Amino acid sequence: MPRAVQYKTYGGTEVLQVVEVGTPEPTEGEVLVKVKAAGINPGESKTRAGTLAQRPLPSGQGIDLAGVVVRTGPGVTGFAAGDEVMGFTWQHASHADYVAVEAANLIAKPARLSWEVAGSLFVVGTSAYAAVRAVAPQPGETVVVSGAAGGVGMLAVQLARRAGADVIGIAGPANHRWLSEHDVTPIAYGEGVRDRLRQVTDRVDAFIDTHGDGYLELAVALGVTPTRINTLVDYSGAARLGAKTEACRAAATSGILTDLAQLAATGALDVPIAATYPLDQVRAAYDELAGPHPRGKIVLLT
Ligand SMILES: NC(=O)c1ccc[n+]([C@@H]2O[C@H](COP(=O)([O-])OP(=O)(O)OC[C@H]3O[C@@H](n4cnc5c(N)ncnc54)[C@H](OP(=O)(O)O)[C@@H]3O)[C@@H](O)[C@H]2O)c1
């Protein structure tokens, strides 16, 4: 029987279950995909914990996905059985053997892109894209990224570099070498971060925050105009200070995902994979994500 991850009550990873379900039927405009890889993201942990928008229960999980088309629903053109695809579903349903996905949310998987990267690119890639676009870095400007080696941050620093900006990445020491190798100036977070920033630059033009916890105030203190600050986390701070909150929903188009997939397939965008887990070890995957974890995406494989 096909399996899907579900939770019946809000909570930690202990509420996650892998249950046997029927194969979903693709309705008008949908494509049935046999999932091969599906990334996990902190936002899904927050949703499952009940701290974001409430969901009808039981709920599935999973936005990112890559897999093979099984069949198409009525009205779908452009995809056929056997096609290798990647994309996203807002139905929180990709942590499963099969998922029915709106055709508009799928693109062809570049042949050279691994299943792991294809299945975990959407949320972090489009969030990074939206955040960089929101702060509009110009060549020669200086952009600071907090959480610079996290799932979103590691792509935001690369996209900001591609825009021609000088990039400073705030990250743990284990990630400093990787940041340097990607032409990003690393500095450590924690006590004294403002002084360390001042030691490496006397001007910050834009700030991308993927961590929260005071970085918006730091950005303002560094003289960054609020409209050139984007946070993925601190919504109340953004409302108070006039900063932006662009993330994946602002860049959820097949065109942007296609561009990101091509960059990743050619190696122009480095998308490290930290770990893979079989679907039935979904709890362990989310437990790893919740703690300090190696750089890169954590991906469920079916
Ligand atoms: N609103 C949206 O639509 C949206 C979309 C995507 C993500 N998000 C949110 O964005 C956040 C990041 O997501 P992610 O996928 O990038 O998570 P992630 O892969 O778990 O990365 C988190 C990063 O935070 C860093 N970090 C820990 N303590 C820090 C500190 N004091 N200062 C600066 N960085 C610190 C870690 O750095 P080290 O590993 O270097 O120690 C880690 O790399 C999450 O809260 C997520 O929910 C929101």
Side-chain angles (χ1 to χ4, degrees):
M1 277 282 276
R3 302 159 304 159
V5 173
Q6 274 190 5
Y7 55 93
K8 295 190 173 76
T9 56
Y10 292 113
T13 53
E14 74 283 351
V15 302
L16 289 173
Q17 293 177 316
V18 179
V19 298
E20 293 189 343
V21 292
T23 305
E25 195 55 43
T27 59
E28 178 85 25
E30 288 186 335
V31 174
L32 179 66
V33 177
K34 169 71 185 76
V35 178
K36 289 185 79 81
I40 69 170
N41 291 286
E44 291 159 78
S45 306
K46 297 176 193 174
T47 301
R48 185 199 340 111
T51 56
L52 298 179
Q54 299 287 294
R55 288 195 48 71
L57 299 175
S59 171
Q61 282 208 157
I63 297 170
D64 295 332
L65 66 105
V68 179
V69 172
V70 178
R71 62 178 177 274
T72 56
V76 173
T77 56
F79 293 104
D83 288 353
E84 296 186 347
V85 294
M86 56 186 281
F88 58 100
T89 173
W90 296 125
Q91 305 308 314
H92 296 265
S94 70
H95 296 162
D97 286 317
Y98 294 92
V99 59
V101 186
E102 289 169 60
N105 295 356
L106 292 174
I107 65 168
K109 181 183 89 63
R112 277 196 285 172
L113 200 60
S114 71
W115 286 111
E116 290 85 348
V117 173
S120 62
L121 188 59
F122 170 74
V123 169
V124 289
T126 55
S127 294
Y129 181 98
V132 172
R133 182 177 63 182
V135 304
Q138 302 301 307
E141 289 189 331
T142 298
V143 180
V144 176
V145 179
S146 68
V152 178
M154 68 184 184
L155 302 184
V157 295
Q158 295 178 72
L159 293 174
R161 282 292 299 134
R162 289 182 64 80
D166 296 327
V167 181
I168 299 169
I170 303 173
N175 290 312
H176 286 194
R177 183 168 167 189
W178 182 88
L179 288 167
S180 297
E181 288 169 354
H182 290 75
D183 278 338
V184 174
T185 303
I187 67 164
Y189 48 70
E191 189 69 31
V193 66
R194 182 176 175 176
D195 293 340
R196 287 191 290 282
L197 273 169
R198 280 296 178 219
Q199 280 164 20
V200 295
T201 187
D202 57 10
R203 201 192 76 224
V204 178
D205 300 292
F207 201 111
I208 294 171
D209 170 40
T210 76
H211 182 74
D213 201 20
Y215 280 112
L216 297 191
E217 288 77 5
L218 173 65
V220 170
L222 290 166
V224 183
T225 308
T227 52
R228 300 202 66 197
I229 303 170
N230 192 82
T231 181
L232 278 77
V233 183
D234 186 356
Y235 287 93
S236 59
R240 192 173 64 251
L241 297 169
K244 294 181 175 176
T245 56
E246 304 277 300
C248 50
R249 282 189 183 265
T253 71
S254 57
I256 291 170
L257 186 58
T258 298
D259 289 348
L260 292 166
Q262 288 301 333
L263 289 173
T266 59
L269 196 61
D270 182 15
V271 188
I273 300 297
T276 61
Y277 287 85
L279 185 71
D280 58 11
Q281 288 181 28
V282 60
R283 291 182 183 178
Y286 273 101
D287 283 340
E288 179 169 7
L289 181 68
H293 55 85
R295 178 184 54 259
K297 290 299 298 173
I298 298 173
V299 187
L300 298 173
L301 302 178
T302 61

